[in-house]
């Protein structure tokens, strides 16, 4: 409780300091130095509590303790009349940013928790992300039962969705996993995005073309029955890690998204290296074929 009260006081003084920066330089400098001391003490206590055991990337407690003092002194941009400006929240950050930028951005968000970002900023960024649509049609399964399987994958990242479907004891779970893999391969072919960079934005089942059949009943009667079919619609979307960090409410959630970011960046770099090697091998094969063709043409001329 003492650390949180000190941190709140430090945040208030930071805002006051940014407001008074243009009025008096002497008072603002003293306030900034006092604010730095308060925030460093408060974050050191919080970081010592939440410091994870592993030394892997994503050690948010130590990272916030190192970069909080610089992030707390960052001047906050206020909302003006022009609503088309991003105001520095996430405008300068790409969907797949570097680990250092992500840690600084997480520290900045933690330092400025009182500063709320308007929903139109997040909506505009989500509209600029790349999406990939996959479907599976005329599945011999009821739409209601198919939606029970689709709800396991909706809203998760692609690796987590495949992990959920691996342990799902439903008949059509392998079929949905196959659709997810096929759509993620489409993203890799088009833009080189790896499964760890994608999330399941939409996943649901709709009614297909139901077949009417005769239902044999007792006492010479007959009725109607339907062989139900369904369609699956799947939309994979590129993960915007700055937006995910912006929406994360706790430090544990921020640390989880930083871990996912490190995995996604490692997969992307590995895939890019493999792609460059394949391109070099193809170029060498093309040169060898061209040399053979030139030799054959030279022999034919002789």
């Amino acid at each position: 409780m003492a650390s949180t009260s000190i941190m709140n006081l430090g945040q208030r003084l930071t805002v006051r300091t940014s407001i008074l920066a243009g009025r008096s330089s002497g008072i603002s400098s003293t306030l900034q130095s006092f604010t730095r001391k308060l925030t460093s003490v408060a974050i050191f206590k919080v970081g010592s509590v939440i410091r994870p055991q592993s030394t892997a990337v994503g050690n948010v407690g130590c990272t916030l303790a190192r970069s909080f003092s610089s992030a707390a002194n960052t001047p906050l941009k206020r909302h003006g009349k022009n609503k088309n400006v991003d105001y520095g929240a996430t405008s300068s950050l790409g969907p797949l940013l570097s680990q250092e930028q992500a840690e600084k951005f997480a520290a900045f968000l933690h330092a400025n928790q009182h500063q709320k970002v308007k929903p139109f900023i997040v909506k505009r960024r989500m509209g600029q992300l790349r999406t990939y649509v996959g479907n599976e049609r005329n599945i011999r399964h009821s739409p209601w039962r198919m939606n029970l399987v689709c709800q396991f994958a909706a809203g998760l990242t692609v690796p987590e969705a495949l992990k959920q479907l691996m342990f799902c004891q439903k008949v059509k779970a392998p079929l949905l996993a196959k659709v997810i893999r096929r759509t993620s391969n489409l993203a890799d072919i088009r833009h080189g995005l790896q499964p760890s960079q994608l999330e399941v934005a939409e996943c649901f089942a709709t009614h297909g073309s139901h077949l009417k059949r005769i239902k044999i009943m007792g006492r010479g009667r007959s009725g109607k029955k339907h062989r139900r079919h369904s369609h699956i619609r799947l939309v994979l979307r590129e993960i915007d890690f700055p937006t995910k960090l912006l929406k994360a409410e706790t430090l544990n959630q921020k640390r989880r998204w930083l871990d996912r970011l490190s995995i996604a960046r490692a997969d992307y770099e590995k895939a890019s290296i493999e792609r460059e090697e394949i391109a070099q091998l193809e170029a060498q094969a093309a040169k060898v074929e061209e040399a053979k063709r030139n030799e054959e043409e030279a022999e034919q001329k002789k």
Side-chain angles (χ1 to χ4, degrees):
M1 295 296 292
S3 62
T4 55
S5 61
I6 293 173
M7 185 162 49
N8 293 331
L9 179 60
Q11 290 177 358
R12 292 176 187 174
L13 287 175
T14 304
V15 178
R16 298 284 184 178
T17 306
S18 61
I19 295 173
L20 295 173
R23 297 182 183 177
S24 58
S25 59
I27 299 174
S28 63
S29 61
T30 55
L31 283 174
Q32 282 182 356
S33 61
F34 182 61
T35 303
R36 262 190 230 103
K37 293 179 181 178
L38 287 177
T39 52
S40 62
V41 170
I43 258 320
F44 178 76
K45 291 183 179 180
V46 176
S48 62
V49 173
I50 65 169
R51 184 178 294 113
Q53 298 296 327
S54 62
T55 57
V57 180
N59 194 345
V60 180
C62 301
T63 304
L64 294 181
R66 287 195 301 269
S67 56
F68 183 84
S69 58
S70 60
N73 296 324
T74 305
L76 301 178
K77 298 186 179 181
R78 302 292 178 181
H79 295 289
K81 296 182 179 180
N82 189 7
K83 295 185 177 182
N84 295 324
V85 184
D86 204 336
Y87 300 102
T90 53
S91 59
S92 60
L93 301 176
L96 188 66
L97 65 164
S98 64
Q99 196 70 24
E100 184 179 359
Q101 287 179 339
E103 291 172 355
K104 288 182 179 179
F105 185 64
F108 172 79
L109 294 176
H110 184 75
N112 301 289
Q113 291 178 352
H114 61 281
Q115 187 77 0
K116 300 297 182 182
V117 178
K118 289 191 175 181
F120 77 91
I121 297 175
V122 178
K123 184 179 179 181
R124 186 173 66 239
R125 282 185 65 89
M126 298 293 280
Q128 295 174 355
L129 299 175
R130 292 170 285 192
T131 58
Y132 306 92
V133 181
N135 53 34
E136 185 72 20
R137 301 182 65 82
N138 295 323
I139 305 168
R140 179 62 185 88
H141 210 62
S142 170
W144 184 83
R145 289 188 295 168
M146 197 69 223
N147 271 317
L148 294 178
V149 184
C150 292
Q151 71 181 1
F152 284 101
L156 300 178
T157 61
V158 169
E160 292 177 354
L162 294 175
K163 193 179 297 182
Q164 287 286 336
L165 294 172
M166 186 186 300
F167 296 99
C168 179
Q169 296 180 358
K170 296 288 185 182
V171 178
K172 298 299 179 181
L175 178 63
L176 182 59
K178 177 183 175 182
V179 177
I180 293 175
R181 290 192 193 94
R182 185 173 62 204
T183 312
S184 63
N185 290 336
L186 182 65
D188 189 10
I189 292 169
R190 288 184 180 176
H191 300 104
L193 296 179
Q194 301 305 307
S196 55
Q197 297 177 253
L198 300 171
E199 64 178 349
V200 182
E202 296 179 11
C203 184
F204 58 88
T206 56
H207 288 269
S209 300
H210 303 316
L211 302 179
K212 294 181 181 180
R213 293 292 182 261
I214 298 174
K215 182 180 180 181
I216 305 300
M217 297 188 295
R219 305 176 73 175
R221 293 175 300 169
S222 63
K224 291 188 298 183
K225 64 181 178 181
H226 297 276
R227 300 290 188 187
R228 300 192 181 275
H229 290 69
S230 59
H231 306 318
I232 292 177
R233 175 178 169 82
L234 176 72
V235 178
L236 298 183
R237 183 174 57 204
E238 183 183 8
I239 298 177
D240 189 11
F241 287 99
T243 305
K244 297 298 182 182
L245 291 171
L246 188 65
K247 289 184 176 181
E249 297 179 355
T250 62
L251 286 173
N252 191 21
Q253 293 177 359
K254 290 183 176 67
R255 184 172 68 243
R256 207 172 296 158
W257 280 112
L258 287 173
D259 292 340
R260 291 169 184 164
L261 173 62
S262 63
I263 295 170
R265 175 157 288 280
D267 293 345
Y268 179 76
E269 291 176 354
K270 183 179 178 181
S272 62
I273 291 171
E274 291 179 355
R275 205 177 298 113
E276 290 177 357
E277 290 178 355
I278 291 172
Q280 291 177 0
L281 292 174
E282 289 178 352
Q284 292 177 2
K287 289 181 180 179
V288 171
E289 290 180 358
E290 186 178 359
K292 287 183 179 180
R293 196 182 303 112
N294 294 333
E295 290 178 358
E296 290 177 357
E297 290 178 357
E299 290 179 355
Q300 289 178 0
K301 289 180 180 179
K302 290 180 179 180

